[in-house]
Amino acid sequence: MEFSQSIWDPDSVDSHEPVPASTRPARPSLGGNYWRLWTSAALSNLADGILKIALTLVAVGFTRSPGLIAGLAFAFTMPWLLFSLPAGAIADRFDRRKLMLGANVLRATLLGATALTVLLDVGSIWVLYIVALFAGTAETIYDTAAQSLVPQVAPRDQLPRANGRMYAAELTSNEFVGPPLAGFLVAAGAAIALATPAALWVVAIVALLLVRGSFRIERDPGQTASMRHDIAEGIRFLWHNSFLRMFAAVAGVFNFASSAMQAVLVLYVVGSTSAMGLSEQAYGWLLSTIAVGSLLGSFLADRIERVVGRTRTLVLGFIAGSLFVGAPALTANPYLVGAAFFVGGAGLVIANVVMLSLRQRITPERLLGRVNSGILFVAGGIKPLGAVAAGVLAQLFGVRAVFVIMGLLSLATLFTTRKMTDEAMDAAERRPDH
């Protein structure tokens, strides 16, 4: 899943003169600690990708109720609304690596016990709900701590590359390998399907144990602030920093718009009476173009940033993301829409890598967990609202109107780039308090 990396740095030489290969400086290594963290994250995300699909497939063996089956997805995602902000405060209070270890121990134990209940024929849909709720809660802690840990194990000037590789691992595990593997595992047996993520989390724990060092952020001696105070401090910092505030707004707008678009996309794509007239299988292939584009973007992000600069990279990413959301309003040709999804997926990931890397550089380490969780709270919490808005708009004005409105809303994010200049971002990184 890795593309060859250029070792040419356009800022280090005269662009008009060719540079002999023997004199081109090698790019710094990301380091052993980073790659051990990457391995753990890849395995953990693979377990997540399997679990989310396997839970639904196993649940069908207990009930055929659409409401109960759909409720599993709600139980899995609800912790992002309830626990993401406390998870950030926890990540700033305790050793982040140990928090990730604890989250994986909880998930491995939970899934191992659940597999045992299936083997003993004492499982039920309510057991799966408990699994979804607690696994989702552990995920909020793991993901928040992982995003906050990356700047502690990767060189500061290599954060775009480090974050890009993390996105690549997440996409490959969650979107490509996990879902189809879950289908094969459930076919082999429900207990096997539940035990496999547990085993993957155990291996991920081993990889994390090999990450050397302490990753607890030192607090002021005698500081006894409450959790509520810590959360409020992180939110205040996020709100008063213009870049972080814009990043949260951009994430919220794009997640609202893309959630709305995808909520009604199936009505536009699937069936003989739909605009596209595709089958269910073709719909799956159409959606896969998003994942393929996102994967490519995760590898190209740092290279594009170095070549064209951060501001132009964000502009291109936002335009591509708007194309992704609004393309179905422009055409019902599945090949053109698939191409737009591919480009949009790549652009959104590239923009995310730039914003995440800058966020990690300008946020004090003691606040990084809370700032990360604050943006994740906005990005995740807005999705259900987008789906509700899509339903209302589609009912009033038709499905195509949803794509038009959400595409225009996405384009509005370009106004934020007027203040996201390369000079302003460089100055933000040089501030002494960061």
Side-chain angles (χ1 to χ4, degrees), residues 347-369:
L348 285 175
V349 166
I350 289 170
N352 276 330
V353 168
V354 173
M355 291 189 290
L356 174 58
S357 301
L358 182 62
R359 182 165 92 223
Q360 291 168 336
R361 287 167 172 160
I362 67 177
T363 304
E365 282 194 350
R366 67 182 185 84
L367 291 171
L368 187 54

Side-chain angles (χ1 to χ4, degrees), residues 92-402:
D92 288 338
R93 281 175 173 246
F94 301 98
D95 187 300
R96 290 161 179 167
R97 182 183 70 103
K98 291 181 180 178
L99 288 174
M100 294 167 69
L101 285 169
N104 277 356
V105 167
L106 173 62
R107 292 190 285 190
T109 303
L110 188 64
L111 266 293
T114 306
L116 186 60
T117 66
V118 172
L119 278 176
L120 298 176
D121 200 25
V122 293
S124 71
I125 185 65
W126 306 114
V127 171
L128 299 186
Y129 265 79
I130 293 172
V131 171
L133 182 61
F134 280 93
T137 302
E139 184 182 26
T140 66
I141 295 174
Y142 183 95
D143 287 358
T144 301
Q147 277 197 6
S148 306
L149 185 58
V150 169
Q152 294 179 274
V153 298
R156 181 183 177 86
D157 61 346
Q158 294 296 307
L159 282 177
R161 186 157 63 107
N163 288 317
R165 298 301 176 270
M166 283 291 183
Y167 272 116
E170 179 179 349
L171 287 164
T172 301
S173 301
N174 263 314
E175 304 294 336
F176 291 120
V177 181
L181 182 55
F184 285 114
L185 291 170
V186 171
I192 295 174
L194 296 173
T196 299
L200 288 169
W201 275 315
V202 169
V203 181
I205 289 169
V206 174
L208 261 183
L209 289 171
L210 297 176
V211 176
R212 296 186 295 272
S214 173
F215 300 97
R216 180 171 183 168
I217 303 302
E218 294 299 326
R219 297 166 66 90
D220 295 335
Q223 183 177 354
T224 58
S226 66
M227 186 76 71
R228 181 178 178 180
H229 174 275
D230 280 359
I231 293 173
E233 183 183 17
I235 293 174
R236 281 196 302 271
F237 182 85
L238 190 159
W239 179 253
H240 290 297
N241 185 288
S242 59
F243 281 112
L244 297 177
R245 191 168 62 246
M246 284 188 286
F247 292 166
V250 166
V253 168
F254 268 115
N255 279 10
F256 180 88
S258 63
S259 176
M261 183 272 285
Q262 293 182 69
V264 297
L265 183 63
V266 66
L267 300 175
Y268 188 76
V269 174
V270 177
S272 58
T273 60
S274 68
M276 285 192 184
L278 299 184
S279 66
E280 290 83 354
Q281 292 80 7
Y283 179 58
W285 284 109
L286 181 66
L287 293 182
S288 71
T289 60
I290 305 171
V292 175
S294 300
L295 181 61
L296 177 63
S298 69
F299 284 103
L300 295 181
D302 67 309
R303 184 180 302 179
I304 292 175
E305 179 187 322
R306 285 185 288 111
V307 172
V308 305
R310 284 187 281 196
T311 301
R312 290 190 183 95
T313 301
L314 289 174
V315 169
L316 292 173
F318 293 169
I319 292 174
S322 302
L323 178 64
F324 158 67
V325 174
L330 303 176
T331 178
N333 185 304
Y335 297 102
L336 293 178
V337 172
F341 283 0
F342 174 85
V343 173
L348 285 175
V349 166
I350 289 170
N352 276 330
V353 168
V354 173
M355 291 189 290
L356 174 58
S357 301
L358 182 62
R359 182 165 92 223
Q360 291 168 336
R361 287 167 172 160
I362 67 177
T363 304
E365 282 194 350
R366 67 182 185 84
L367 291 171
L368 187 54
R370 284 165 280 176
V371 169
N372 282 335
S373 68
I375 292 180
L376 289 171
F377 174 79
V378 173
I382 202 72
K383 287 184 176 182
L385 300 180
V388 171
V392 174
L393 290 171
Q395 190 69 35
L396 293 175
F397 307 110
V399 172
R400 191 184 291 267
V402 176

Side-chain angles (χ1 to χ4, degrees), residues 26-59:
R27 296 179 68 184
S29 168
L30 291 172
N33 264 359
Y34 169 82
W35 287 113
R36 287 185 280 272
L37 175 64
W38 182 93
T39 300
S40 176
L43 292 167
S44 292
N45 277 288
L46 178 57
D48 281 333
I50 293 171
L51 178 62
K52 290 172 184 177
I53 302 300
L55 272 184
T56 303
L57 296 175
V58 172

